[in-house]
Amino acid sequence: MIRMSLRQFRLSALAGAVLLTLATVYLLRLGGATHAARLPADHHQTMLFLAGGSGLVPAFIGAFWGAPLIARELETGTHRLVWNQSVPRRRWLAVKLAVVGLASMAAAGLLSAALTWAATPVDQATGDRFSTVMFGARGIAPIGYAAFGFVLGAVTGLLLRRTLATMALVFLAVIAVQVAVPNLLRPHYLPPERATVAMTADAINRARMLGGITGGPIIGGLEMPDAWITSTSRLRTADGRVLSDAAFDTCFSHAPQTGATGTFGDIAVCLGRLDLHVDLAYQPNRRFWPFQWIELALYLGAAALLVAVGRWRIRRGTFS
């Protein structure tokens, strides 16, 4: 069974190996440049682009390695040949998942290791390790992403029995999960630390967003050294109350002309005179590795649950 699974997987494995080799060589060359650079932060945009691209790897693994693994055999009927040779269904499934699943995890681990090493000087210079895109392209978490993407593809193929439909569905589903987890779950892995920050004119000008779509005293895009800000309160007055919409709108739309410069100019000066502050919840960068282990465990646990679903389905289902 193992030899047969390897033979069936050889073309996909060869294509993956070629792409992985090319990516690794590029990252080693890039890493040499970042480690030798006097200003590693100059490579930040490149690393951001690579991190975004690496986030698609689990989706490709799920769609091109996981989805066809079982769906194609059920679609073409080749599974009957193996089952008629007295190979138990669950063993057949287990071997297929183990062989290709371990290859997926190894490929993702190698790619992540190369990218993590190449990006180390840039991450140290910018302090950007915890942002949504960067975190998912570093450390050991990508191994869990690959395992989850692959198993989701394989089990979905077992349920749908249609290769192309499974590939499309799994690709979109993995991307949806990759977007949902950083925003809904990751900020809450450990209780956040909290801080109160005065909103002077300079602090407001360092923000990236001021005012919501419907108005109101909202500020966003604040930064804190060596930390990932997970939530920001509305602008508050000295007594802890939320700044009224009327007071905010007065500064936002009718700020006195002072000739101030900066991102928000006179608006920042007007608001800065109101003795405002915001309450922040944040995760310090020292929690990077605990969060990596938690996320790895989360995705491996989800993959294990999917394997259980697949074992139940192949034992109880009828496959003509």
Side-chain angles (χ1 to χ4, degrees), residues 66-208:
L69 186 71
I70 297 174
R72 184 171 294 158
E73 292 216 36
L74 296 178
E75 208 169 24
T76 59
T78 55
H79 63 288
R80 301 190 195 96
L81 176 63
V82 179
W83 292 357
N84 288 334
Q85 294 176 353
S86 300
V87 176
R89 293 183 181 188
R90 284 188 290 180
R91 183 188 170 196
W92 175 80
L93 177 65
V95 170
K96 283 184 168 293
L97 293 180
V99 170
V100 187
L102 291 174
S104 302
M105 295 168 68
L110 179 59
L111 183 63
S112 175
L115 181 53
T116 300
W117 173 78
T120 295
V122 181
D123 292 344
Q124 291 174 346
T126 62
D128 186 10
R129 303 181 74 196
F130 243 131
S131 65
T132 298
V133 177
M134 293 299 191
F135 181 89
R138 305 285 191 268
I140 56 177
I143 299 174
Y145 305 158
F148 171 77
F150 165 73
V151 176
L152 179 63
V155 174
T156 304
L158 175 64
L159 298 175
L160 295 185
R161 310 187 200 181
R162 293 292 182 270
T163 303
L164 293 180
T166 301
M167 292 174 68
L169 178 61
V170 168
F171 189 86
L172 295 176
V174 173
I175 291 177
V177 171
Q178 294 287 79
V179 172
V181 168
N183 291 285
L184 300 179
L185 299 182
R186 189 182 297 160
H188 310 292
Y189 289 164
L190 293 174
E193 297 189 6
R194 301 185 182 276
T196 297
V197 178
M199 286 291 99
T200 63
D202 287 342
I204 292 171
N205 275 324
R206 288 195 295 271
R208 292 193 293 270

Side-chain angles (χ1 to χ4, degrees), residues 285-303:
N285 278 355
R286 67 176 182 273
R287 293 181 176 177
F288 175 82
W289 282 108
F291 271 55
Q292 283 276 318
W293 284 105
I294 292 171
E295 193 141 309
L296 174 64
L298 174 69
Y299 276 87
L300 291 181

Side-chain angles (χ1 to χ4, degrees), residues 205-318:
N205 275 324
R206 288 195 295 271
R208 292 193 293 270
M209 182 269 289
L210 186 63
I213 297 177
T214 58
I218 299 173
I219 191 167
L222 297 174
E223 295 182 354
M224 177 179 289
D226 298 320
W228 171 40
I229 296 176
T230 57
S231 68
T232 304
S233 72
R234 293 192 167 208
L235 292 167
R236 297 183 182 275
T237 57
D239 59 4
R241 297 182 180 180
V242 175
L243 180 67
S244 68
D245 289 352
F248 179 80
D249 290 341
T250 297
C251 283
F252 197 85
S253 303
H254 308 289
Q257 299 296 313
T258 65
T261 59
T263 304
F264 300 106
D266 293 330
I267 298 174
V269 172
C270 181
L271 291 172
R273 292 171 177 168
L274 300 180
D275 192 19
L276 303 175
H277 68 272
V278 292
D279 297 323
L280 303 178
Y282 66 95
Q283 298 289 353
N285 278 355
R286 67 176 182 273
R287 293 181 176 177
F288 175 82
W289 282 108
F291 271 55
Q292 283 276 318
W293 284 105
I294 292 171
E295 193 141 309
L296 174 64
L298 174 69
Y299 276 87
L300 291 181
L305 289 175
L306 287 169
V307 170
V309 171
R311 286 173 58 85
W312 172 83
R313 175 58 181 160
I314 205 167
R315 180 170 62 91
R316 302 293 293 269
T318 300

